[in-house]
Amino acid sequence: MRVRLWRPPRRLRHGEEATLVEHLEELRQRLFVCIGAVVVGWIAAFAVHGRVIRALTNQLPPQHRQLLTLAIGEPFMTSVWVSLYLGFLLAIPVVLWQAWSFFIPAVETAHERMLKAFVFLATALMIAGVLFGYYVALPAAAKFLTNFDSSLYDVQIQAKPYITFATKVLVAMAIVFELPLFVIGLTRMGIVPTSKLRRNRRIGYFIVACIGVALPGVDPVTTFFETIPLVILYEMSIWLSVLLDRRSERATAAAGTT
């Protein structure tokens, strides 16, 4: 008799009933898939960690691209942690898909296509955020910080603090670019009406500015490049919410006339 230790999680259909034990079993299997995706991403990232670290150091000014290590284990641990960060980013699409597959049975079939689009849009926005952080925010912050009062200091860049700073900036930008989905989700669920968002723009901008200040970054340049996309994306979120509301109203009106 052959025993299967693990099988792919079965996706329930909308309205299909399942016991609590079956739901917990599905959740356990999907968590295994998510953890496995992170582990695979970590291994794949570690295989190319040299290129990743060179790519991050290339955003430093040319005279500071030879990173300094002060402990015997620092090169290894730095490579391990940067691989873990990258592995997590690589696994995010799988994690989002597993979350979507787990919760979609509770959603009406008519909304299934919209939620599927949200998963793909979240992945696209995450990639856009990482690219913005790498090509815009990180080089500007690195140039400002390494040249600030450079006549007073012998500026040498230590590997672990810089890699940690760079990865935090990239992760922060990936999260920042998810703002439209968060705002649209609040409006679609009726938690925050679109009309209220339009009336209270100043309050929204203040909250966005506070979030920008709280994001990783010890200097005004990094804070600026983290806050400006937040403001632009927040304004875009409002108009996208307005368009979706109007589309829903037209669909409701068309359904009422038939």
Side-chain angles (χ1 to χ4, degrees):
M1 180 178 179
R2 188 173 63 179
V3 179
R4 295 185 65 179
L5 298 179
W6 183 86
R7 60 181 180 180
R10 182 177 69 89
R11 178 184 159 191
L12 298 174
R13 295 185 298 272
H14 176 65
E16 183 178 351
E17 294 184 358
T19 64
L20 177 61
V21 174
E22 289 174 331
H23 280 301
L24 291 176
E25 177 64 19
E26 181 190 1
L27 178 61
R28 182 182 71 86
Q29 292 174 347
R30 295 197 183 281
L31 287 176
F32 276 137
V33 172
C34 294
I35 294 172
V38 173
V39 172
V40 171
W42 186 7
I43 295 173
F46 191 80
V48 295
H49 72 273
R51 295 183 180 181
V52 175
I53 293 176
R54 289 191 191 95
L56 293 177
T57 55
N58 283 341
Q59 301 301 50
L60 287 166
Q63 67 273 23
H64 296 298
R65 291 178 181 174
Q66 188 66 37
L67 299 180
L68 175 70
T69 59
L70 300 177
I72 189 171
E74 186 174 351
F76 174 73
M77 291 308 300
T78 301
S79 299
V80 168
W81 279 108
V82 74
S83 301
L84 180 59
Y85 289 138
L86 180 57
F88 178 75
L89 285 176
L90 293 175
I92 282 181
V94 177
V95 173
L96 291 174
W97 187 264
Q98 292 301 313
W100 172 80
S101 299
F102 182 75
F103 289 109
I104 199 62
V107 180
E108 295 181 1
T109 308
H111 296 149
E112 183 175 337
R113 182 181 298 178
M114 182 180 68
L115 289 180
K116 187 183 294 187
F118 266 44
V119 173
F120 287 108
L121 183 57
T123 303
L125 288 173
M126 180 198 73
I127 295 173
V130 171
L131 292 176
F132 180 88
Y134 180 76
Y135 287 106
V136 180
L138 185 59
K143 182 177 181 180
F144 173 79
L145 292 173
T146 54
N147 288 298
F148 183 79
D149 280 350
S150 58
S151 61
L152 302 176
Y153 305 100
D154 178 16
V155 180
Q156 299 184 51
I157 311 300
Q158 190 176 349
K160 186 177 179 180
Y162 171 70
I163 295 298
T164 301
F165 170 77
T167 51
K168 283 183 177 180
V169 169
L170 297 183
V171 171
M173 296 311 306
I175 296 173
V176 162
F177 271 63
E178 301 295 333
L179 178 65
L181 291 184
F182 178 73
V183 174
I184 292 173
L186 291 178
T187 58
R188 302 308 297 169
M189 290 186 293
I191 298 176
V192 180
T194 305
S195 57
K196 190 173 183 179
L197 282 177
R198 298 177 68 180
R199 288 196 307 267
N200 299 325
R201 267 188 172 87
R202 293 182 180 179
I203 298 176
Y205 289 146
F206 175 76
I207 295 174
V208 163
C210 292
I211 295 173
V213 172
L215 288 172
V218 296
D219 62 287
V221 174
T222 308
T223 302
F224 173 80
F225 279 104
E226 290 174 341
T227 304
I228 292 302
L230 273 172
V231 174
I232 297 173
L233 290 169
Y234 176 71
E235 185 65 26
M236 289 175 57
S237 304
I238 295 175
W239 288 107
L240 284 173
S241 299
V242 170
L243 292 175
L244 289 174
D245 282 352
R246 291 176 179 174
R247 181 179 178 182
S248 298
E249 291 172 359
R250 288 195 297 267
T252 303
T257 56
T258 56

